[in-house]
Amino acid sequence: MLAAYYRFEVLPDDVKAKHKIRSKARLDCTVHSNPTGYKVLIDFINHKGQMYLFRIPANGFIKANTRRLAEWSLTNGSLNLSSIYIEDTDFPEYGYGYPNANRLKSNGDANPLFLYRNDCYLFLTNKDLSLIEVLVIAEGRNLVGAYYQRLIDVKLDQEIEQLREQAQPFFDYGNAL
C-alpha cells in the first residue's frame, strides 16, 4: 500500500555549515525508500542533488476555513508539497496531507504536483517538527481518513518498518549523519 518513504530532518549545524545551508526551517531528505518509483518529489531536488523542504506556518499563505486550517506546511520556494493536518490531539506525532491540487504554482508556472493530486501523505513527526517522515499512498486521497486511522492504530507499523529498513541515503552529507 505505501508507495514511498522519505525521512526529512534538520541537519546538525556542522553539516549545514559544510554544505552552506543557512535556513533553520530547512528539512533535508536524509534517507528514502521508493520501491514503486514514485516520482512527485523529484521537483524538490536542487542542482546539488539534495532534496529538501521548509516547514513554515500554513496561516501565512494557505487560504481555508479556520476549522480546516493546518498549522504547518511543507514547501520549497513556490511549490507547496502539502499542509500537515493533525486532527487527534492525543497523537500529535501523526498527521496527513495531500499534494497541492492547484493547476498552477504560486508564481504562475504549471504545478508538477497536479498529476498526483489524488495521492495522500501520512506524516510521522517529532515534537518540534525537526524530523518528519513522509509516507506516500498513491491514489489514496479519498481514503485518507481511513489510512490516518490505521497509522494511529499502529496497523501500518510493519510496512513502515520494512520501508525504513530498505531506506538508502538520499544525498551524501558525509560521516556526520
Side-chain angles (χ1 to χ4, degrees):
M1 168 177 32
L2 297 177
Y5 164 84
Y6 299 90
R7 178 184 171 109
F8 289 90
E9 56 192 304
V10 173
L11 299 174
D13 289 340
D14 59 326
V15 175
K16 284 180 167 182
K18 178 181 174 186
H19 293 280
K20 298 179 174 75
I21 299 168
R22 293 184 301 247
S23 174
K24 294 185 185 315
R26 178 170 155 164
L27 298 160
D28 282 73
C29 182
T30 53
V31 298
H32 76 295
S33 179
N34 192 352
T36 63
Y38 191 75
K39 300 242 185 266
V40 72
L41 273 69
I42 63 171
D43 292 296
F44 295 94
I45 300 172
N46 70 8
H47 67 280
K48 296 178 185 176
Q50 300 164 327
M51 182 191 313
Y52 60 91
L53 299 166
F54 297 98
R55 67 183 186 291
I56 62 171
N59 62 3
F61 67 97
I62 301 292
K63 308 285 187 253
N65 180 317
T66 55
R67 291 178 29 194
R68 182 73 180 115
L69 188 60
E71 188 173 343
W72 293 98
S73 186
L74 297 174
T75 69
N76 186 329
S78 63
L79 191 55
N80 177 29
L81 175 69
S82 176
S83 294
I84 301 176
Y85 298 97
I86 299 172
E87 291 191 350
D88 195 326
T89 56
D90 292 335
F91 300 97
E93 68 277 15
Y94 298 118
Y96 68 90
Y98 324 95
N100 181 351
N102 295 325
R103 286 188 183 275
L104 301 175
K105 298 190 302 187
S106 62
N107 67 3
D109 291 343
N111 176 9
L113 302 179
F114 182 74
L115 296 173
Y116 300 92
R117 66 190 176 277
N118 293 319
D119 296 350
C120 79
Y121 303 129
L122 299 175
F123 301 106
L124 299 167
T125 71
N126 61 0
K127 244 181 194 169
D128 64 358
L129 274 79
S130 62
L131 183 143
I132 300 175
E133 294 175 288
V134 179
L135 307 167
V136 178
I137 300 175
E139 300 296 322
R141 184 179 185 124
N142 291 337
L143 295 173
V144 70
Y147 293 127
Y148 179 60
Q149 192 59 52
R150 290 189 70 184
L151 179 66
I152 290 172
D153 292 342
V154 299
K155 294 183 178 174
L156 296 177
D157 281 9
Q158 186 176 3
E159 195 171 352
I160 293 168
E161 197 53 43
Q162 184 178 18
L163 288 172
R164 284 176 177 153
E165 289 172 8
Q166 296 170 355
Q168 299 293 315
F170 190 85
F171 179 83
D172 183 10
Y173 288 101
N175 297 344
L177 294 179

